[in-house]
Amino acid sequence: MGTVIDSHFLGLTAIVTAGYQLLFFIVTALLKFDKVTDFAGSTNFVIIAILTLVLKGSWHFRQIVLTLLVVIWGLRLGLFLLMRILQWGEDRRLDEMRASLGKLAVFWIFQAVWVWTVSLPVTVVNSSNRNPSLQAEDIIGWIIWLVGFLVEATADQQKLTFKNSPENRGKWCNVGLWQYSRHPNYFGEIFLWWGIFVASTPVLEGAEWLVILGPIFLTLLLLFISGIPLLEESADKKFGNVTGYRLYKRKTSPLIPLPPVVYGNLPSWFKTTFLFEFPFYSRSLPQEGSNWYRTSRGESSDGLKMR
């Protein structure tokens, strides 16, 4: 078993990831400096991709392309999030964790698991001796990655520009791609990692197909745990009594970009079953007619500083 793990760099990447995240955890815990949280996660993907490519030394075209895609994504996202947090201030996701070393440690452990698991497709591809000729899966996967990357990068920039404008203070972002999805950046991230998986399939054999756990883990994470649920709860508490926001939420897809005129007229069962409009996304939405939360209308819709 040890040989199998080493041959696929699974053990090595786990150790490197744990060490890298431990380093930033120590910085955060000792210096109370949490502005590097997202940067540590994003750049860890870059380290794993380059490390496995160089150590294997095969330099197959497919390995180089997938590594390059991960590096481009990781550096773009890492630098964007670092510049944003330096501009905005502290990461409020960690507000309750700073006073508890145990909670802070759990956060960083979970981040390490996220990096290692989502990186599985490129890790296994870079460790493989197989080098089949270019196939349709490669092209399809690269196109999916490109679409996802452009959507995520565009959505991030549109929201940053929106929030930096004084006239938009206290408003929720509903411009550009945000007109068609409440979380287009998450859609882009999920889509591009599924693209990397698709592009990895020509070299997969047997148990290697378990790398599909990477994009599955990311999808479940953003849909049910640390992504959309937290942001929906935050926005609902701040803007739940604002008529325009309630209309925006009712007519705008939570993830997959769709025209509001289309999404708004779909039946609820269809939205829940196929478009991820889960009831718990609205559990913090105040009952219509209540006015106890109107004092929050001047607050930001992104209080948790989640992407």
Side-chain angles (χ1 to χ4, degrees):
M1 176 62 72
T3 302
V4 172
I5 292 178
D6 290 342
S7 67
H8 288 81
F9 296 137
L10 301 183
L12 175 64
T13 53
I15 293 172
V16 170
T17 299
Y20 192 66
Q21 296 304 313
L22 176 62
L23 173 64
F24 282 97
F25 164 71
I26 293 174
V27 171
T28 301
L30 294 182
L31 303 180
K32 306 299 181 182
F33 184 80
D34 52 30
K35 292 181 175 61
V36 294
T37 304
D38 290 315
F39 180 79
S42 302
T43 54
N44 203 155
F45 285 95
V46 175
I47 291 173
I48 288 179
I50 294 177
L51 179 64
T52 52
L53 176 69
V54 173
L55 286 180
K56 184 62 178 180
S58 300
W59 303 101
H60 297 154
F61 181 67
R62 181 179 288 104
Q63 295 172 337
I64 295 173
V65 171
L66 285 184
T67 298
L68 184 61
L69 297 185
V70 172
V71 169
I72 292 173
W73 170 79
L75 290 180
R76 199 286 309 177
L77 182 60
L79 291 174
F80 171 80
L81 295 177
L82 179 62
M83 294 300 100
R84 189 185 69 173
I85 196 64
L86 290 176
Q87 176 183 350
W88 285 359
E90 292 182 333
D91 190 338
R92 295 185 184 177
R93 291 173 300 172
L94 304 180
D95 283 348
E96 297 181 358
M97 302 180 191
R98 295 188 190 98
S100 173
L101 193 62
K103 290 182 178 180
L104 193 63
V106 170
F107 176 88
W108 284 93
I109 290 172
F110 194 81
Q111 177 153 285
V113 172
W114 164 62
V115 172
W116 184 84
T117 305
V118 177
S119 293
L120 282 174
V122 71
T123 298
V124 170
V125 168
N126 282 352
S127 70
S128 179
N129 292 316
R130 291 182 291 279
N131 186 30
S133 58
L134 202 63
Q135 299 182 20
E137 291 91 333
D138 293 292
I139 306 299
I140 294 173
W142 300 342
I143 292 175
I144 292 174
W145 178 91
L146 179 61
V147 172
F149 178 82
L150 292 176
V151 168
E152 182 182 34
T154 301
D156 281 343
Q157 191 57 49
Q158 287 175 339
K159 187 171 187 178
L160 183 64
T161 301
F162 181 89
K163 291 178 69 65
N164 283 341
S165 175
E167 64 184 28
N168 293 325
R169 181 176 295 276
K171 299 179 181 179
W172 61 94
C173 184
N174 59 354
V175 299
L177 292 173
W178 300 83
Q179 299 177 67
Y180 308 103
S181 168
R182 304 202 298 271
H183 305 280
N185 51 343
Y186 286 157
F187 170 79
E189 185 165 337
I190 291 172
F191 205 58
L192 71 85
W193 277 104
W194 276 103
I196 288 178
F197 166 72
V198 171
S200 74
T201 57
V203 304
L204 301 181
E205 287 186 354
E208 292 175 347
W209 279 90
L210 288 174
V211 301
I212 195 175
L213 292 175
I216 288 177
F217 180 83
L218 175 64
T219 303
L220 296 178
L221 177 69
L222 294 181
L223 285 177
F224 297 105
I225 303 176
S226 72
I228 295 178
L230 293 182
L231 283 180
E232 290 288 309
E233 180 181 11
S234 176
D236 286 355
K237 287 180 177 179
K238 292 176 174 63
F239 302 106
N241 280 304
V242 180
T243 302
Y245 171 77
R246 299 181 77 101
L247 184 63
Y248 169 75
K249 184 162 185 172
R250 186 161 57 247
K251 291 189 173 183
T252 309
S253 169
L255 185 68
I256 302 173
L258 288 172
V261 66
V262 173
Y263 185 80
N265 290 306
L266 293 173
S268 296
W269 67 266
F270 188 91
K271 294 179 180 179
T272 301
T273 305
F274 299 105
L275 298 175
F276 312 112
E277 187 69 87
F278 302 119
F280 64 88
Y281 286 169
S282 297
R283 62 188 173 190
S284 297
L285 192 67
Q287 295 294 319
E288 288 193 65
S290 66
N291 57 11
W292 65 276
Y293 224 100
R294 289 188 181 277
T295 56
S296 296
R297 291 182 62 177
E299 297 179 13
S300 165
S301 64
D302 203 8
L304 287 175
K305 293 295 188 289
M306 294 290 289
R307 293 183 54 253

